[in-house]
Amino acid sequence: MKDAPSLDDVMLFLAVADAGTLGGAAALTGASQPTLSRRMTELERQLGQRLFQRGAQRYALTAEGRQLAEEMRGLRAQASRLARWTAQEGPVRVRITAGLWTSRYIARGLARVWSPQDAWLPEFAASNADLDIARRAADIGIRNRRPEQPWLAGRRTVRLSYAAYGRGPQVQGYVTLPPGAASTPSERWLRATHPEEIVTHASDARLALDLALGGVARIVMPCFAGDAEPGLMRLSEPIDALSHDEWLVAHHDARHDPPVRAALDALHGLLTAPERRGTTA
């Protein structure tokens, strides 16, 4: 069984392949020409392949060398990303995913729990779908149920309530997301209980809110968002079928990283503020 070459040697190989000469590769990498010559000879021995046609001035790739360079093409990009990450200064970016209403609430209140001097920097992905925290598509998720996967940790925040909102009691019918869109509990509830009262659709929740503000229809939304929206009034009692606990979710391992831990603590404080508790959740 052949020994696997080191990534350092593969990166040196790519430098020689790019430069075409040991001198050019030495200028790119800082390694001496004798060192490069020795490492390329050792790499060929390990692989059992001749990678270069050596001339007086040039190191030209053989067919095998061109194939290896093509296979390792993505390594350059990864090495460049690693170099940028290593050289970065300032706070660590923590990606947070939540539905639109919660994302807007956090964005508007973030200054109460975060400052540019903190060790973490929030990045938001407003989405009704659960981004894959296990594969680190997001660092922190804010969800409407306790996580069931053993690799995820959850921390309860508050119990949220929902109600119907509109410009006034004269407004009849509802606006909701179209069939086939990433569904929400309120959208499913409307279709199950009031299908004949759905008068129009909007491609996203923000547009649905604008239609409600324009007096076109009612909208079902969390009480913490609807009660705080100028121009809307609550037109129903809290809807028991939609009430649910809210959970902060993170990967079991990542939650111990200092930036993620700081973000979790800050978000928990913001999400459990008095205006998000009880029926005014």
Side-chain angles (χ1 to χ4, degrees):
M1 185 176 180
K2 296 178 182 178
D3 294 333
S6 72
L7 290 179
D8 286 344
D9 282 348
V10 174
M11 291 303 299
L12 291 177
F13 160 77
L14 292 173
V16 176
D18 287 344
T21 66
L22 293 181
L28 289 172
T29 64
S32 68
Q33 293 186 47
T35 296
L36 288 168
S37 177
R38 184 177 68 255
R39 298 280 285 274
M40 293 305 97
T41 299
E42 177 61 17
L43 181 61
E44 289 177 323
R45 185 197 68 77
Q46 286 183 298
L47 296 176
Q49 301 280 353
R50 189 178 182 190
L51 303 176
F52 297 101
Q53 294 281 359
R54 291 165 173 80
Q57 300 295 328
R58 300 284 300 173
Y59 262 53
L61 290 174
T62 63
E64 293 83 359
R66 287 193 297 274
Q67 183 178 3
L68 178 61
E70 179 66 21
E71 290 289 337
M72 295 295 103
R73 179 175 55 185
L75 191 60
R76 292 187 180 92
Q78 294 297 329
S80 177
R81 291 175 60 189
L82 178 60
R84 289 197 300 270
W85 183 86
T86 303
Q88 76 174 359
E89 297 180 357
V92 175
R93 297 177 187 273
V94 176
R95 194 172 190 211
I96 302 158
T97 178
L100 175 67
W101 309 124
T102 300
S103 295
R104 292 174 78 219
Y105 173 82
I106 295 172
R108 292 174 175 180
L110 193 63
R112 291 152 52 185
V113 296
W114 176 86
S115 75
Q117 288 72 46
D118 286 345
W120 62 284
L121 178 67
E123 285 191 347
F124 289 95
S127 174
N128 291 328
D130 288 345
L131 297 187
D132 195 340
I133 295 175
R135 297 181 183 274
R136 309 302 170 88
D139 299 297
I140 296 172
I142 301 169
R143 297 181 174 174
N144 61 9
R145 62 190 181 277
R146 187 173 192 164
E148 298 176 352
Q149 301 91 331
W151 55 85
L152 296 180
R155 185 179 182 186
R156 184 185 178 278
T157 58
V158 295
R159 188 161 185 83
L160 298 181
S161 297
Y162 289 68
Y165 290 84
R167 287 287 299 271
Q170 76 281 2
V171 177
Q172 299 298 313
Y174 291 92
V175 56
T176 189
L177 301 179
S183 64
T184 63
S186 60
E187 187 264 346
R188 293 192 293 271
W189 177 81
L190 269 177
R191 293 196 180 281
T193 61
H194 301 278
E196 72 286 350
E197 296 182 53
I198 297 173
V199 297
T200 190
H201 298 99
S203 60
D204 57 64
R206 174 66 240 196
L207 182 55
L209 173 60
D210 288 336
L211 288 169
L213 288 168
V216 174
R218 301 183 179 197
I219 183 173
V220 175
M221 58 192 299
C223 295
F224 75 83
D227 289 346
E229 190 65 43
L232 291 184
M233 61 183 299
R234 195 189 293 195
L235 300 177
S236 76
E237 294 297 318
I239 301 165
D240 291 339
L242 293 179
S243 180
H244 65 80
D245 289 340
E246 178 185 72
W247 292 84
L248 269 173
V249 179
H251 194 281
H252 260 300
D253 296 331
R255 69 191 173 115
H256 297 298
D257 294 343
V260 176
R261 169 51 58 190
L264 285 168
D265 290 342
L267 290 173
H268 188 270
L270 187 58
L271 294 173
T272 55
E275 65 267 23
R276 294 187 90 245
R277 293 180 178 274
T279 58
T280 57

